[in-house]
């Protein structure tokens, strides 16, 4: 086993993690050789992977800004938040409203350890190590109780997390549990790999993620839409990542704007 820094004590660094692979894709430093090698294998079979990671991050930023400015919501529950990198939800949200509150949730110990360090001096944000497949443990946590007022609207962020949940774990029930725990006027933001757009090369990515603790489960547009039952989607609805309310001149940052299907993922924001 490779040398493990103190902040990753107890982590199996020889097994790649989807969270740490995403951290590496976004230019982060909290990843290990196994994560970098696995991500390199993803890129070999799916060269657009770095562009998809960037496009997804930009969607997250746009969704948070929209939820704050258009819905007036300043409470966020970020499920499967991953390893914190530049442009975290609390940075976007608290820039717009210093009173904004964010609870991050992830199961990866490295993501949690790094977030704890990052958020140590931020009373408006916290990290919870929990499994998003167990909504009761998340919603009943000390972190949620301390920071989020569930009697007021909350935005539940499920960005790049649902396709890591297997069908037999019932993702629809998981989404419904978080939806039903929030009051009217609450919001959801989702991005999800869409099986309709995957060709033979991108399907080979399955083999790489099968080596992680999560695997990967792209779903059809119809099934992704079904996960959003109970929410009214804002325009433009369920669309490819770069097509969800792109910022003016965004092609300079997100080359997939000009060919959205290459993102192989759909995104939406809805309101309860």
């Amino acid at each position: 086993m490779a040398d493990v820094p103190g902040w990753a004590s107890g982590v199996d660094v020889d097994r790649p993690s989807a969270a740490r692979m995403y951290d590496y894709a976004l230019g982060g430093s909290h990843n290990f050789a196994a994560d970098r090698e696995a991500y390199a294998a993803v890129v070999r079979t799916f060269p657009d992977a770095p562009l998809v990671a960037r496009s997804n991050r930009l969607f997250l930023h746009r969704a948070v800004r929209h939820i704050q400015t258009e819905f007036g919501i300043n409470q966020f529950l970020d499920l499967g938040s991953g390893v914190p990198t530049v442009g975290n939800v609390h940075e976007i949200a608290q820039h717009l409203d210093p009173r904004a509150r964010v609870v991050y949730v992830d199961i990866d110990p490295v993501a949690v350890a790094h977030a704890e360090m990052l958020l140590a001096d931020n009373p408006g944000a916290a990290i919870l190590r929990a499994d998003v497949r167990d909504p009761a443990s998340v919603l009943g946590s000390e972190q949620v109780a301390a920071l989020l007022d569930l009697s007021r609207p909350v935005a539940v962020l499920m960005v790049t997390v649902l396709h890591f949940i297997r069908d037999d774990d019932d993702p629809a029930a998981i989404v419904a549990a978080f939806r039903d725990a929030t009051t009217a006027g609450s919001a959801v933001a989702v991005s999800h790999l869409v099986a309709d757009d995957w060709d033979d090369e991108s399907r080979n990515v399955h083999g790489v993620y099968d080596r992680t603790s999560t695997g990967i489960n792209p779903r059809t547009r119809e099934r992704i839409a079904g996960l959003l039952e109970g929410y009214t989607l804002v325009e433009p609805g369920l669309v490819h990542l770069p097509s969800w309310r792109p910022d003016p001149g965004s092609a300079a940052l997100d080359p997939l704007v000009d060919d959205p299907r290459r993102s192989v993922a759909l995104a939406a924001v809805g309101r309860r």
Side-chain angles (χ1 to χ4, degrees):
M1 178 178 290
D3 291 337
V4 181
W7 48 261
S9 178
V11 174
D12 181 0
V13 300
D14 294 321
R15 185 178 190 184
S17 153
R20 299 194 302 267
M21 290 165 64
Y22 188 52
D23 172 63
Y24 179 60
L26 293 172
S29 60
H30 284 68
N31 49 74
F32 303 102
D35 307 309
R36 296 187 286 273
E37 291 167 5
Y39 186 70
V42 168
V43 174
R44 283 195 296 273
T45 190
F46 181 49
D48 279 342
L51 298 180
V52 174
R54 184 189 309 170
S55 187
N56 186 72
R57 193 70 173 181
L58 292 172
F59 161 70
L60 174 64
H61 293 173
R62 297 195 302 275
V64 169
R65 293 198 305 266
H66 182 87
I67 287 167
Q68 282 189 275
T69 58
E70 300 299 321
F71 299 166
I73 296 174
N74 68 352
Q75 303 187 100
F76 296 87
L77 181 60
D78 188 357
L79 303 175
S81 53
V83 179
T85 55
V86 175
N88 296 300
V89 171
H90 73 277
E91 293 176 321
I92 304 300
Q94 291 175 351
H95 176 74
L96 291 173
D97 180 359
R99 299 168 300 170
R101 299 292 181 262
V102 181
V103 174
Y104 295 103
V105 182
D106 207 282
I107 193 64
D108 184 272
V110 171
V112 173
H114 186 41
E116 286 176 340
M117 292 187 290
L118 182 71
L119 302 174
D121 297 322
N122 190 325
I127 180 70
L128 166 67
R129 187 179 182 193
D131 192 329
V132 299
R133 296 173 299 177
D134 184 5
S137 70
V138 174
L139 295 165
S141 68
E142 293 180 4
Q143 290 87 337
V144 168
L147 284 181
L148 304 183
D149 179 358
L150 296 182
S151 70
R152 297 193 299 112
V154 174
V156 180
L157 308 178
M158 302 183 183
V159 176
T160 317
V161 64
L162 293 174
H163 52 240
F164 292 117
I165 297 175
R166 300 179 303 180
D167 287 343
D168 55 9
D169 286 320
D170 200 350
I174 293 169
V175 175
F178 285 107
R179 181 196 67 218
D180 293 347
T182 61
T183 190
S186 293
V188 70
V190 168
S191 65
H192 196 304
L193 292 175
V194 59
D196 311 60
D197 293 339
W198 282 44
D199 55 23
D200 290 339
E201 287 187 355
S202 52
R203 288 190 182 95
N204 290 335
V205 172
H206 275 285
V208 179
Y209 278 96
D210 283 345
R211 306 204 310 266
T212 73
S213 59
T214 55
I216 198 167
N217 306 275
R219 295 183 171 93
T220 64
R221 172 184 289 271
E222 181 180 12
R223 294 194 62 198
I224 296 170
L227 296 175
L228 297 168
E229 183 178 351
Y231 288 101
T232 299
L233 303 188
V234 301
E235 291 294 335
L238 183 62
V239 295
H240 285 96
L241 275 175
S243 299
W244 195 89
R245 295 178 177 260
D247 294 323
S250 59
L253 292 175
D254 187 352
L256 299 185
V257 166
D258 294 329
D259 192 359
R261 288 177 63 91
R262 285 172 58 192
S263 70
V264 298
L266 301 180
V269 170
R271 199 163 192 194
R272 186 174 178 211

